Amino acid sequence: MAAGGEATRPTIVVVDDASEVRALVRTRLRLSGLLDVVGEGGDGAEAVEVVRALRPALVLLDVSMPVMDGLEALPRILEVSPDTQVVMYSGFQEEGLAHRAIELGASAFLEKSTDLDALAGDLVRLLEARDAPSATRVGPAMVVDGDGERRVLREHLERFREVFEDAAIGMATVTLAGQIVRANRSLGAILDRSVDELVGAAYATFAGTASGALDRMLAAILSGEEPVGQVEHDVVGSVAPRRVVATFAPVLDSGRRPLYLFVQVQDVTVQRGAEEELRRSEVGFRLLVDNVEDYAILMLSPEGLIESWNAGAQRIKGYTEDEIIGRHFRVFYPPDVQESGHPERELEIALRDGHYEEEGWRVRKDGSRFWATVLITAVHDRDGQHVGFAKVTRDVTRRREQEEALRASEERFRLLVEAVSDYAIFMLSPEGLIASWNAGAQRSKGYAADEIIGRHFRTFYPPELQEARHPEHELELAIRDGSYEEEGWRVRKDGSRFWANVVITAVRDPRGRLVGFAKVTRDITERKVMLEERDAAAAALTAANAQLQQASEDQAHFLAVTAHELRTPVSVLGGTADLLISHWTELDDVEREDLLVGMGASASRLRRLLDDLLTASRLQSSRLELEHGPVDVGQVVTECVATQRRTHPDVVIEAGVEGAVDVMGDAGRLGQVVDNLVNNALLHGAPPVRVTARGDGDDVVVEVQDSGGGVPPETQARLFDRFSTGRARGGTGLGLFIVRQLARAHGGDASYRPADGDLPGAFVVRLPRTGAPAPDDAS
């Protein structure tokens, strides 16, 4: 279209797929005298070409158009004419759509409900505010002059302004080119995107390989070939695999032309998965049935006509599928059974009761007979409509022959049972009443046949089992499982008890009806006593082996640790002596003093280790001698702590004494107790270490605490055992052993108190006070 109007007026191109809208807007803009409409376009592709040719100051661009919509055309317009300002013009009232348009480069987003009288002025103001930091959105004031104008604009307003945000299915409105301009939360959840991410995106991006089908469907809708369209696809980019069905319906104007599209999206992932699983199950079941050879499995119509035939049916009955399909199933029955109408009655009963089951003679194709078990089940569809019968037949002729042979041998077996004396073998009625009695039963239980037959078998059970109804429970289990077996106490006629092995077997007739129980009982009291004695001996042997194994492991660990404990000071002494002998004159006084101090410390370490070894040896052989006398435990604690501070100057070791803490004992050995506890805290715990002595009734209590994590529960049981180290950070495993033994030698004891709330864990030594009664004299 040629440019018109005065040269000083800004130029504008109007793009809308509705010609009457373009005419209306073009006229209103011309009458305003503010803008010069120099071109028009019916879709986004035309808009790009018109702008490329005319380079207008403004483009008023519709959102929903066929071929190429406004959102797709917007960046292309700005690419061919960067100085042109694009104003999006749409009937969609969607905040997210406006934001998306601004993101793509639009200067403003106008709704078609904007007052047309003010439209030209608004557009001019946008040009004047070209350098403003952000574009604006004009609100939806609905002021239109003339009924014709009101009708045209109203047709292009969004028909569904309030999409139900709480709808369970996904909903969206899309442009005619397939771009989303409004979406609800459910659609966002289905497509694994936020609503803001969906607005402005092409729906085809989520359809993956189904995008071609989607394009064809949209083309059919827009051409009028299809009123609605539906496409099923996997969701591209979803966190978990997801399958959806999207239904597209056009929203039409009064001329029956599409304005935009309304989409409903339903998640069918679970439904399709279930359908696929059902399909696989049906295929597998059909293959299974077709390949079963031991059972004739076939379907009958409601009238009894054969509709399916498997390999087992052909093998058992002799007919091929072509020979038998469509014939009535009465063909398998002997003539006299057919004449009586028995096959038809079977179907009547199956339809009435759900199924019918029996055993009887059937006839093969060659006329031979076989004994069969038959199960007929009525089949209904999901609506409850009767659609036929499933019939399963098995040839059990050989089983029947075996049952006949078994019955023939039952008499011989009965004679055998009656003669057995080591087992109580007898029959029970279905109610548990004794129906037979053999010599073994009389010998083990003490009753004669005339004394016990007719009584309930609970007679043989102790009173507590009778009250618990255990005998009746045994019969219930035998009925359910076919047999029941246990061992337990039973009672003889004279009241004595014996340990018995019991097997109860449910006995049924050829038709499967319960006729009673076979009960076999054997007195195995001697075997039980022998097994218990054997188990006790085995348990004792296992415990002894465990103790020996533990002792062996502890001793091996002790030897390894002792070698390590000896190796370090011996190496220090030897190395230092060699250094002093070879280089005495080359060393200064400070170096010689440090080396001599190290030799002294190593010698002290050796003396302490030797002292522990000698003490442990004497304690083990009960040859330890104590020099008894009055001992101030507080002084012992103070001196030991002072010595440890000198040995470990970089470690905080505290002492605390409360009141008089005098005992009768050996001061040196009690010092050894405190030293060992402090050494144990330094080796296995963490500083600071605190040693306290206090009175507690008739006892003096010495406690040693450190700031470590305490002793693990699994270690506490063997904490004071000889050679027990817990395999942690060295030590001979003798220190705590000596502590407890020395404490007990003084009439006291040593223990470990685990942490409890605010009370920290500690090693505790209790000694009797001076003047307190000795343990043997205590009342």
Side-chain angles (χ1 to χ4, degrees), residues 694-770:
R694 58 180 173 81
D696 184 14
D698 291 335
D699 293 336
V700 170
V701 177
V702 178
E703 289 190 4
V704 177
Q705 303 172 4
D706 64 71
S707 301
V711 179
E714 64 271 14
T715 306
Q716 294 175 15
R718 300 185 62 250
L719 200 54
F720 292 93
D721 291 354
R722 189 171 60 145
F723 306 142
S724 177
T725 66
R727 306 297 189 265
R729 292 198 287 179
T732 62
L734 294 176
L736 294 180
F737 169 74
I738 291 172
V739 167
R740 172 170 279 179
Q741 296 304 316
L742 288 178
R744 289 177 175 176
H746 282 79
D749 205 350
S751 62
Y752 175 72
R753 182 191 68 218
D756 184 10
D758 295 333
L759 186 64
F763 286 89
V764 180
V765 176
R766 284 187 173 272
L767 302 170
R769 279 179 184 267
T770 301

Side-chain angles (χ1 to χ4, degrees), residues 92-330:
F92 296 108
Q93 292 179 311
E94 175 59 41
E95 190 70 27
L97 178 59
H99 290 162
R100 180 60 178 158
I102 300 303
E103 289 175 357
L104 292 174
S107 298
F109 182 88
L110 300 181
E111 296 171 359
K112 288 187 177 180
S113 56
T114 300
D115 185 355
L116 285 180
D117 289 334
L119 177 61
D122 290 338
L123 294 175
V124 170
R125 282 192 294 275
L126 284 173
L127 283 174
E128 294 171 349
R130 185 182 187 92
D131 298 326
S134 62
T136 59
R137 174 180 175 178
V138 178
M142 186 61 181
V143 179
V144 181
D145 292 334
D147 293 338
E149 294 177 357
R150 184 184 303 276
R151 178 184 58 79
V152 173
L153 290 178
R154 185 181 297 114
E155 287 179 345
H156 293 82
L157 290 176
E158 182 183 6
R159 296 297 178 89
F160 300 100
R161 297 194 176 200
E162 295 182 357
V163 178
F164 296 102
E165 288 297 334
D166 295 329
I169 63 174
M171 294 183 180
T173 51
V174 302
T175 67
L176 298 179
Q179 286 191 283
I180 299 172
V181 294
R182 175 176 293 171
N184 68 350
R185 289 188 296 271
S186 294
L187 183 62
I190 292 173
L191 299 182
D192 275 344
R193 302 290 195 283
S194 68
V195 173
D196 289 340
E197 289 176 308
L198 293 178
V199 173
Y203 187 88
T205 60
F206 308 109
T209 57
S211 58
L214 178 64
D215 292 340
R216 290 190 294 274
M217 179 199 68
L218 293 178
I221 292 176
L222 297 180
S223 67
E225 295 178 14
E226 296 290 342
V228 294
Q230 191 173 82
V231 62
E232 182 171 335
H233 63 87
D234 294 324
V235 177
V236 174
S238 61
V239 176
R242 184 166 293 167
R243 189 79 173 172
V244 300
V245 172
T247 303
F248 289 74
V251 178
L252 306 176
D253 63 14
S254 59
R256 306 302 296 170
R257 292 172 302 181
L259 291 173
Y260 55 90
L261 300 169
F262 183 72
V263 187
Q264 297 183 69
V265 181
Q266 185 174 3
D267 188 342
V268 295
T269 308
V270 175
Q271 177 183 343
R272 294 297 183 263
E275 291 171 353
E276 177 61 20
E277 183 64 27
L278 178 60
R279 187 192 66 79
R280 289 196 299 265
S281 175
E282 288 177 345
V283 170
F285 180 73
R286 178 173 52 79
L287 292 174
L288 173 66
V289 169
D290 287 345
N291 288 279
V292 170
E293 295 185 353
D294 290 338
Y295 291 83
I297 304 174
L298 51 140
M299 280 294 297
L300 305 178
S301 71
E303 299 76 27
L305 302 180
I306 300 166
E307 295 182 334
S308 70
W309 196 247
N310 77 327
Q314 181 168 336
R315 186 188 68 81
I316 293 173
K317 301 177 184 287
Y319 294 92
T320 65
E321 186 174 3
D322 293 339
E323 293 174 322
I324 198 65
I325 294 292
R327 298 178 64 179
H328 199 280
F329 83 108
R330 72 169 65 89

